Amino acid sequence: SGTTGTFSSTVSFGNLNIGNSSISQVAGDALTIQASGATLDLKADYDSTSGSIRFYPTNNVLGLTLSSSNTATFAGTIRAETATGATLELKSLRTTTSTASLVGQVDFQTSEGSFQAGSYGQTNARILVMEGVYGESTMSFWTNQAANPDNIREVLKLDDSLNATFAGDVNVAQYIKHTGDTNTLINFTTDNITLEAGGVTAINVGA
């Protein structure tokens, strides 16, 4: 406690004790942290082939890989918990743009199939955010299709003008209502469509 220092040489034997824990060098480029010298809490090693640092939280099971290209790959669930609400932030460090540019995207993938040469497996769905030349943003949602799983397509786009553009059908259970004027609506029932304005039926079309 209260001691700082710089390690400039390789530790081959012995332990560095921190409270009830210890850090010890093991075979290869690996570092082991043990609680009270018994239960393995964390092991980290360096993969010289890929240039990655790997973390094993318990029982030598890989939990996190940090690659040489600054990619973090988690083997389990990523969870964020705060008392005021957790935030997932995707930030682009770009300062200028002359064309529409990617701000961030989230891909949902499986280990089968391919997408754009398939270097990471099949992309089943995607959420994509683009920024225009003047700072305007669009968000789009993509899915693949059963007949051609490798073909991912844009199904919904939300733009900065508050427009929602659907690539396919829009299914509603019963009502399409006017915002702030809920008694003006289109009412769908079995084999019947009713157009209502101000709570009064203006058009009724039935089979």
Side-chain angles (χ1 to χ4, degrees):
S1 173
T3 302
T4 61
T6 301
F7 295 93
S8 58
S9 61
T10 301
V11 178
S12 299
F13 303 98
N15 295 335
L16 170 64
N17 295 315
I18 305 175
N20 293 325
S21 300
S22 64
I23 300 177
S24 60
Q25 183 77 18
V26 298
D29 297 322
L31 188 67
T32 300
I33 299 178
Q34 295 177 321
S36 301
T39 304
L40 179 63
D41 288 338
L42 174 66
K43 174 185 174 183
D45 68 14
Y46 174 72
D47 182 358
S48 58
T49 302
S50 63
S52 300
I53 299 175
R54 301 175 297 193
F55 296 88
Y56 304 80
T58 183
N59 296 328
N60 262 351
V61 177
L62 181 63
L64 168 64
T65 301
L66 302 178
S67 75
S68 57
S69 59
N70 296 325
T71 298
T73 302
F74 294 85
T77 300
I78 301 173
R79 177 177 297 160
E81 297 180 353
T82 69
T84 57
T87 299
L88 172 63
E89 183 175 300
L90 305 179
K91 183 177 182 179
S92 171
L93 299 180
R94 185 184 61 254
T95 56
T96 60
T97 181
S98 58
T99 59
S101 303
L102 176 67
V103 175
Q105 71 183 52
V106 179
D107 281 0
F108 302 86
Q109 299 182 339
T110 65
S111 58
E112 301 178 70
S114 62
F115 174 65
Q116 293 184 346
S119 56
Y120 297 103
Q122 177 177 306
T123 300
N124 295 83
R126 167 174 294 167
I127 302 173
L128 186 70
V129 177
M130 300 290 292
E131 181 184 30
V133 177
Y134 302 103
E136 71 279 13
S137 296
T138 62
M139 174 179 283
S140 57
F141 297 82
W142 302 62
T143 61
N144 63 3
Q145 57 185 141
N148 185 5
D150 292 339
N151 180 29
I152 188 168
R153 308 151 303 161
E154 182 180 88
V155 296
L156 169 62
K157 177 181 285 186
L158 309 176
D159 66 24
D160 64 308
S161 298
L162 307 181
N163 296 316
T165 303
F166 294 85
D169 296 338
V170 178
N171 298 299
V172 297
Q174 185 171 355
Y175 297 105
I176 298 177
K177 296 184 178 182
H178 183 213
T179 302
D181 182 21
T182 55
N183 61 357
T184 298
L185 52 88
I186 301 174
N187 182 8
F188 298 89
T189 54
T190 303
D191 298 328
N192 194 85
I193 302 174
T194 302
L195 176 62
E196 301 178 19
V200 178
T201 299
I203 299 175
N204 191 320
V205 180

